[in-house]
Amino acid sequence: MFIQCKSALAALILVGAMPFAQAADKPTDPQIAHIAYTAGTLDIEAAKQALKKSKNKDVLAFAHDMVRDHEAVNVQALDLVKKLKVTPEDNATSQALTKAAAEERAKLAKLKGAAFDKAYVDNEVAYHKQVNGALETLLIPSASNTELKGLLETGLKIFEGHEQHAEHVASMLK
Amino acid sequence: MRAMVLSPHLGLSLALVVMATPVKAETIQVTIDKLVFSPASVEAKVGDTIKWVNKDAFAHTATVKNGWEVMIPPKKSASLTLKAAGTVDYFCRFHPNMTGHIAVAP
Ligand SMILES: [Cu+2]
């Protein structure tokens, strides 16, 4: 059981790492804005699933925090794109992220109780790690507008915080 | 004049509260901007108040492990009066990568 879980997690991280690996070209600002907004929206959807399914108070509190923070980031992102007159542009990375998240949600939908809690929180750790990596190595260096870059840098700090928060919740579930 | 209507007991406890309050208690401001406490490290004394001013659109906390916690809503401020001497490390429970330090002198 343990080995099964571990290899499933490893597979998940591998699958999860793919969306950004596919983006060989440097994304444009409209694409970066779309990717950042999508990454936040997907985490909100994951949290909403947890709010419906979980009964663990630490998991529920964490999911609430994710909804609140990512909604706040996305409000700022929308305000900024409006101000900069940038229209977020759908792209292969956003689509791959969305597809991977839909698959994860379908997987989580079949789980219950402690198994769901663990899978959700483990995926939150992996997901935030993946987005952080992308922000640091691809999205922030590629952003040409300084204000967009600044918002992404704040987003990175938020995501890093969430990663640590998720790791803490994961350690409490053991 | 108003003191005349207070019971002697309440008058006494009010006097005690006044006496227990240090004369030169200060308010020390810590600003939170883009997930950073600044200054990250402050020196204070018992009776001083720390006032966290949150400029972010995100809620934060100042949390001491096994100790106190102050919730700091987005674009708001929150305060705590220091009651004990010693040094405390605090962090944000929502974003544990945010950390601060207070040295409290007696
Ligand atoms: Cu915080």
Side-chain angles (χ1 to χ4, degrees):
Chain A
M1 187 60 198
F2 177 66
I3 292 167
Q4 235 180 356
C5 281
K6 246 195 130 172
S7 60
L9 180 65
L12 193 120
I13 292 168
L14 281 177
V15 171
M18 274 172 58
F20 290 106
Q22 287 169 346
D25 294 331
K26 208 176 121 162
T28 62
D29 280 5
Q31 289 171 340
I32 291 169
H34 196 282
I35 295 166
Y37 191 85
T38 302
T41 303
L42 294 173
D43 202 45
I44 292 169
E45 283 173 28
K48 285 185 173 164
Q49 184 186 38
L51 289 173
K52 267 191 217 137
K53 289 188 67 107
S54 181
K55 295 203 164 56
N56 180 296
K57 75 170 184 12
D58 295 319
V59 172
L60 292 171
F62 175 80
H64 270 296
D65 294 342
M66 293 307 106
V67 172
R68 191 195 55 218
D69 275 3
H70 287 295
E71 279 179 351
V73 178
N74 278 359
V75 165
Q76 288 185 322
L78 285 184
D79 286 350
L80 182 63
V81 295
K82 205 184 275 176
K83 184 185 154 196
L84 300 176
K85 297 194 169 62
V86 166
T87 307
E89 183 191 307
D90 197 6
N91 58 88
T93 303
S94 291
Q95 286 161 12
L97 271 176
T98 304
K99 187 164 169 277
E103 284 164 7
E104 183 60 31
R105 262 202 311 282
K107 222 183 285 173
L108 286 171
K110 292 179 195 140
L111 300 175
K112 271 186 200 148
F116 172 85
D117 292 339
K118 188 178 180 334
Y120 166 65
V121 175
D122 283 347
N123 186 58
E124 283 297 288
V125 173
Y127 181 76
H128 281 87
K129 237 180 221 158
Q130 176 200 345
V131 175
N132 289 342
L135 280 165
E136 258 173 316
T137 60
L138 181 71
L139 304 179
I140 293 172
S142 304
S144 52
N145 181 281
T146 14
E147 281 182 85
L148 179 62
K149 209 187 261 277
L151 183 62
L152 294 171
E153 279 161 353
T154 305
L156 175 60
K157 277 192 235 162
I158 287 268
F159 269 82
E160 283 172 342
H162 291 172
E163 185 187 323
Q164 287 186 23
H165 190 180
E167 279 166 353
H168 179 69
V169 177
S171 74
M172 288 193 295
L173 291 179
K174 271 169 197 158
Chain B
M1 281 301 279
R2 279 194 71 185
M4 303 278 288
V5 296
L6 294 173
S7 73
H9 182 77
L10 185 58
L12 180 65
S13 55
L14 276 176
L16 283 172
V17 168
V18 170
M19 276 162 61
T21 309
V23 206
K24 278 168 68 183
E26 283 172 59
T27 296
I28 298 160
Q29 188 170 312
V30 175
T31 304
I32 305 169
D33 192 16
K34 298 188 173 73
L35 290 94
V36 176
F37 291 112
S38 82
S41 188
V42 295
E43 285 181 17
K45 56 188 184 308
V46 172
D48 284 353
T49 295
I50 306 289
K51 183 184 182 190
W52 287 273
V53 179
N54 185 3
K55 299 201 166 165
D56 284 343
F58 316 104
H60 298 296
T61 74
T63 303
V64 175
K65 207 177 173 186
N66 304 318
W68 44 261
E69 172 165 291
V70 177
M71 282 287 301
I72 315 150
K75 306 277 178 195
K76 297 246 159 65
S77 59
S79 300
L80 174 84
T81 300
L82 301 163
K83 296 207 169 73
T87 60
V88 283
D89 287 307
Y90 67 90
F91 64 99
C92 169
R93 196 158 48 81
F94 305 139
H95 318 102
N97 50 337
M98 299 171 61
T99 57
H101 179 90
I102 310 169
V104 190

